[in-house]
Amino acid sequence: MAKKNDGKVLAQNKKASHDYFIEDTYEAGMVLTGTEIKSIRNARVNIGDAFATIRNGEIHIHNMHISPFEQGNRYNPLDPTRTRKLLMHKVQINKLLGLSKQEGYSIVPLKIYIRNGYAKLLLGLGKGKKQYDKRDSAAKKDAQRDIQRALREKQKVAR
């Protein structure tokens, strides 16, 4: 029997697709303390400013804000933006390390969700967009929106 919020996206970094071309994605588990998982289940997490780094063969996420749980106890972490370790296979970490060393590539968190009772973080390997790329992406999105609007209007008239 699935839990009520299994697979539901609890936090999403919408700015990532605006600032980066996402070329590959990886799923990682998170090492959490005490009541952090309860705050994540209540969707009290923000990954807008978060980024990931690899040091000593381990991957860590920085600036991910998890609000303290209101009914928390003494195991509530003092710093909501502390650095948290991510759990990935060694082969995946080494592959990410090699790819992220290239010029213009970053490891960006995309979304947080619950799978099989565990909090998961979807990481993306992103290449930074230039200003003209961002304008081009916005223009394509606007054109697509106009096409969808025209199709809806045409379907309404046909009825």
Side-chain angles (χ1 to χ4, degrees):
M1 183 165 93
K3 299 196 189 306
K4 67 178 181 178
N5 58 359
D6 242 8
K8 177 181 160 196
V9 175
L10 302 171
Q12 191 167 2
N13 189 356
K14 294 180 182 177
K15 198 173 178 186
S17 62
H18 181 262
D19 292 340
Y20 298 95
F21 293 113
I22 304 299
E23 297 186 0
D24 204 3
T25 59
Y26 299 90
E27 184 181 73
M30 294 185 280
V31 177
L32 302 171
T33 62
T35 56
E36 285 180 331
I37 186 65
K38 292 183 180 187
S39 291
I40 289 176
R41 286 183 194 277
N42 291 337
R44 305 211 1 111
V45 60
N46 183 4
I47 57 172
D49 298 329
F51 62 95
T53 58
I54 300 174
R55 285 200 191 105
N56 300 328
E58 294 180 343
I59 188 164
H60 297 273
I61 186 154
H62 305 271
N63 289 348
M64 180 174 69
H65 187 277
I66 299 177
S67 298
F69 190 61
E70 292 87 15
Q71 292 84 28
N73 52 17
R74 63 182 174 184
Y75 297 109
N76 253 354
L78 297 175
D79 183 17
T81 59
R82 70 179 181 86
T83 302
R84 292 167 179 88
K85 184 177 173 183
L86 299 177
L87 304 172
M88 292 177 73
H89 293 286
K90 186 68 89 180
V91 174
Q92 290 176 324
I93 292 174
N94 290 337
K95 184 177 178 184
L96 261 177
L97 179 63
L99 292 172
S100 67
K101 289 284 186 191
Q102 297 175 13
E103 186 72 25
Y105 283 89
S106 300
I107 304 170
V108 184
L110 300 175
K111 54 176 91 167
I112 294 179
Y113 52 93
I114 303 288
R115 176 175 287 165
N116 297 332
Y118 295 103
K120 300 291 182 178
L121 177 69
L122 188 68
L123 294 172
L125 181 69
K127 184 169 177 62
K129 286 185 181 180
K130 304 280 190 236
Q131 191 63 36
Y132 57 85
D133 289 329
K134 293 178 187 179
R135 283 193 296 267
D136 187 43
S137 294
K140 284 181 183 177
K141 211 179 277 187
D142 288 342
Q144 191 66 28
R145 197 175 304 123
D146 291 341
I147 291 169
Q148 292 297 326
R149 187 178 300 126
L151 286 174
R152 278 196 305 269
E153 291 297 323
K154 188 175 180 180
Q155 287 177 349
K156 284 182 183 178
V157 172
R159 289 183 188 174

